Amino acid sequence: MAEDTRQDKRASFSAISEHNTNGMARTSAVASSKTGASKKLVIKNFKDRPKLAENYTEDTWLKLRDAVGAIQNSTSIKYNLEELYQAVENLCSYKVSPTLYKQLRQVCEDHVQAQIHQFFLNIELTESLDNLSFLKRMNRCWQDHCRQTIMIRSIFLFLDRTYVLQNSLLPSIWDTGLELFRTHIVSDSAVQKRTVDGILEQIELERSGETIDRSLLRSLLGMLSDLQVYKDSFEERFLTETNRLYAAEGQRLMQERDVPEYLHHVARRLEEENDRIMSYLDQSTQKPLVSCVEKQLLGEHMTAILQKGLSILLDGNRVTELTLLYLLFSKVKGGLLTLLQFWRDYIKSFGGEIVCSPEKDKDMVQDLLDFKDKMDNVAQSCFTRNEGFINAMKEAFETFINKRPNKPAELIAKYVDSKLRAGNKEATEEELERILDKIMIIFRFIHGKDVFEAFYKKDLAKRLLVGKSASVDAEKSMLSKLKHECGAAFTSKLEGMFKDMELSKDIMIQFKQYIQNQSEPSNIELTVNILTMGYWPSYIPMEVHLPPEMVKLQEVFKLFYLGKHSGRKLQWQPTLGTNCLISAHNDFLILIEEIRTATGIEEGELKRTLQSLACGKARVLNKNPRGKDVEDGDRFNFNNDFKHKLFRIKINQIQMKETVEEQVSTTERVFQDRQYQIDAAVVRIMKMRKTLSHNLLVSELYNQLKFPVKPGDLKKRIESLIDRDYMERDKETPNQYHYVA
């Protein structure tokens, strides 16, 4: 009776419950409403799993094996794929997975073994089969194997994702397929050798310019990579063959081709190899392959390339090839360092020819500026503004420009003079400013800047006194650049020259007013420039026989000036003036010797003045015989036919070229000034140190002096100071000096 009651209760409960597949049950809405919306959770036991039918496992495996066989033989499968998948799932559910995995592996292995047997049989039947045909057959075998493995895995996917996944030591179905193919086919020495030989042959043909089937190589190399034999079986041999090929090619082409053509060939080869990597080679091959090409085509020939072609590329300003050269050498270890050394040597050699060739002195500065522009362009455009190359260029310029002491400094000063002198219509103000900036770059490399200062000051004096300066703004701009580069002490005298000219203008305005207030004003207009002796170059005083009117006017100016500035002394320098009065009769010709005697003007100055008056645009004098130059024996008289539309005429005095004597004189003054500076530096150092050895004294002098000096010259100055009792030698140690207070 109790049992029946339990059954009734179970039947009643089942009627109002909905079952889940996992044995859980939830109460229905009807039950909930009867119990006041309360829910009940009922847990039921799992249903007992039905037992497999007898021989189910064997029959199912036979069905699966037939399907696998059909896939391997490329025939149609008798069964539905979903049915086969469900069959595998059923077997796995009843713990037949280990047996099923082993059976599947055995079937696949048997098939692969049969394939390799058939493969070799076909090879033996067709011994004449070429490498390309062999590769195609090998690829077809591989593709078939992959396709079959994928289809087999799709049927046995449940096995692969459950049993195999839970056993870490077991390879997946796909990995099993790869392992079997590697073990029985690719690992065979004959198959592997012929496969790799065929691939290398195809690559060599492509490198020779022939077209090959890249998809075939991509598939086969992918096979080797998937089978994990790519590195050992292929890459090592491939790199060895590549190394051999490019070693021979590099040696041959370096003999046959010029450097620009060779560089383009190397760039093309690198591009081709990178394209092969993108197309069919494994990415792991990229670094060793590119390194091999760079080493054999560039690394082994760096010195030869630069010796043979760098000067040609730089001389021809071949920007494209120089850019390529830098790019290629940057890829090779030590390449840029080697290129930098050759680049520095080229600049020293080429620049040294410009500086050390006296026959090129006329164009030296312009050639230096052009050469600097050219090298700057190469450094910026071709060498990517590499700081090392820019510093090497500066070092090279500083080295070669000081190989010939003093001359570059002198010529740079004269070049600046030619650009700042009136009549220079080659450049606008903006262009002139750019030229001055470029000149300052060259100026920085010069050690003997005091030579530049001496010649620049002499030329500046001429421009200011003769009124030949093209632009005051340009003059002051150049002065500002020199001050910024060398300091205020370097330009203090030059700035004083400009101040003298400005003060002279103010004095002349006052003098004109003074003359107008005189009882007997002069008909001659006198212009005087008051020059401070310490600022201006030293000039040799010259006695000139001036007309009485000029002498009287000079005395008037002297009284006027000394009345305002007592205690000063005036020394007249008529040779620096812009006007000269010559007394000439209307009808008589006067010999140049007579004019010289009458005026007392030095011969060179006189000829230059007469040339201005008789051979220029405004010919106030007649010259007999006619000609452009004034010679001894020429005769002059006043030109009665001379007329001009202006009341006041300015006749420009012809500027005589600087003579060798003047150049030597200026250079000697610089050397004399240097001796004074050395003496002052020695005394200054000894006064501070009291006692010092010779070597330490020389070292201190090199640190303080701003111009190049030889040790022998320093020794002479030290001996001179000892003779003049500024210092003395130590009695026991002759190499030791003592300061004498």
Side-chain angles (χ1 to χ4, degrees), residues 125 203 214 382-383 421 469 474 503 561 607 614 642 644:
L125 291 174
I203 294 175
R214 286 190 161 193
C382 307
F383 298 163
R421 196 185 304 144
S469 182
L503 289 173
Y561 183 78
K607 285 185 177 181
F642 177 75
H644 203 280

Side-chain angles (χ1 to χ4, degrees), residues 120-185:
F120 278 115
L121 181 63
N122 289 336
I123 293 174
E124 292 171 1
L125 291 174
T126 56
E127 292 180 357
S128 60
L129 197 67
D130 60 82
N131 284 340
L132 180 59
S133 300
F134 176 85
L135 291 180
K136 289 180 179 178
R137 178 167 293 177
M138 185 69 190
N139 183 55
R140 188 163 57 250
C141 179
W142 165 249
Q143 294 294 340
D144 289 344
H145 179 77
C146 291
R147 177 179 52 78
Q148 294 163 10
T149 304
I150 291 172
M151 290 191 66
I152 291 171
R153 181 179 180 274
S154 66
I155 293 173
F156 290 86
L157 186 61
F158 191 86
L159 174 68
D160 202 35
R161 289 185 173 178
T162 54
Y163 173 71
V164 176
L165 195 61
Q166 293 166 4
N167 291 269
S168 58
L169 298 178
L170 293 178
S172 66
I173 295 175
W174 172 257
D175 290 340
T176 300
L178 296 181
E179 178 190 337
L180 293 174
F181 197 88
R182 177 175 61 248
T183 303
H184 296 286
I185 297 181

Side-chain angles (χ1 to χ4, degrees), residues 355-394:
V355 171
C356 298
S357 303
E359 64 274 10
K360 296 182 180 180
D361 283 357
K362 182 180 178 182
D363 301 318
M364 180 197 289
V365 179
Q366 188 59 54
D367 289 345
L368 286 175
L369 292 174
D370 294 341
F371 183 52
K372 184 64 169 60
D373 284 344
K374 185 177 176 181
M375 293 301 99
D376 282 339
N377 182 53
V378 171
Q380 293 180 7
S381 303
C382 307
F383 298 163
T384 63
R385 300 182 181 178
N386 187 304
E387 189 174 345
F389 281 80
I390 293 175
N391 291 335
M393 176 176 62
K394 292 178 180 178

Side-chain angles (χ1 to χ4, degrees), residues 597-689:
T597 303
T599 60
I601 301 175
E602 186 266 333
E603 182 180 358
E605 290 286 339
L606 179 61
K607 285 185 177 181
R608 189 156 54 92
T609 304
L610 290 173
Q611 190 178 8
S612 302
L613 295 170
C615 304
K617 292 182 179 179
R619 300 191 176 186
V620 181
L621 301 180
N622 290 323
K623 173 181 170 295
N624 189 13
R626 293 181 177 275
K628 293 183 178 180
D629 297 322
V630 175
E631 305 291 344
D632 292 340
D634 288 351
R635 296 173 178 271
F636 298 88
N637 70 327
F638 184 75
N639 183 8
N640 291 317
D641 297 330
F642 177 75
K643 293 180 180 179
H644 203 280
K645 61 182 180 180
L646 297 177
F647 176 75
R648 176 182 294 179
I649 306 167
K650 182 176 182 180
I651 299 176
N652 293 324
Q653 193 174 33
I654 294 174
Q655 296 296 306
M656 189 171 61
K657 292 184 179 178
E658 188 177 41
T659 63
V660 177
E661 292 78 10
E662 288 178 325
Q663 292 179 8
V664 172
S665 174
T666 304
T667 305
E668 286 179 350
R669 285 200 300 272
V670 172
F671 290 157
Q672 187 63 48
D673 289 341
R674 286 182 177 181
Q675 290 183 354
Y676 296 149
Q677 291 183 53
I678 294 172
D679 290 353
V682 172
V683 172
R684 187 165 55 247
I685 293 169
M686 292 304 301
K687 187 175 182 179
M688 181 175 64
R689 297 293 187 91

Side-chain angles (χ1 to χ4, degrees), residues 491-546:
T491 57
S492 59
K493 293 181 180 179
L494 303 177
E495 291 173 335
M497 293 165 69
F498 279 96
K499 290 178 181 178
D500 283 349
M501 296 303 293
E502 292 172 0
L503 289 173
S504 296
K505 289 180 182 179
D506 296 337
I507 290 172
M508 291 317 299
I509 292 173
Q510 298 172 15
F511 179 66
K512 286 180 182 178
Q513 296 174 350
Y514 176 80
I515 287 290
Q516 290 174 358
N517 295 330
Q518 296 294 312
S519 57
E520 297 180 4
S522 174
N523 294 325
I524 301 173
E525 185 176 335
L526 178 68
T527 301
V528 180
N529 290 316
I530 310 297
L531 312 181
T532 304
M533 188 171 291
Y535 294 158
W536 296 76
S538 57
Y539 299 100
I540 300 173
M542 184 182 298
E543 291 293 333
V544 177
H545 304 153
L546 296 175

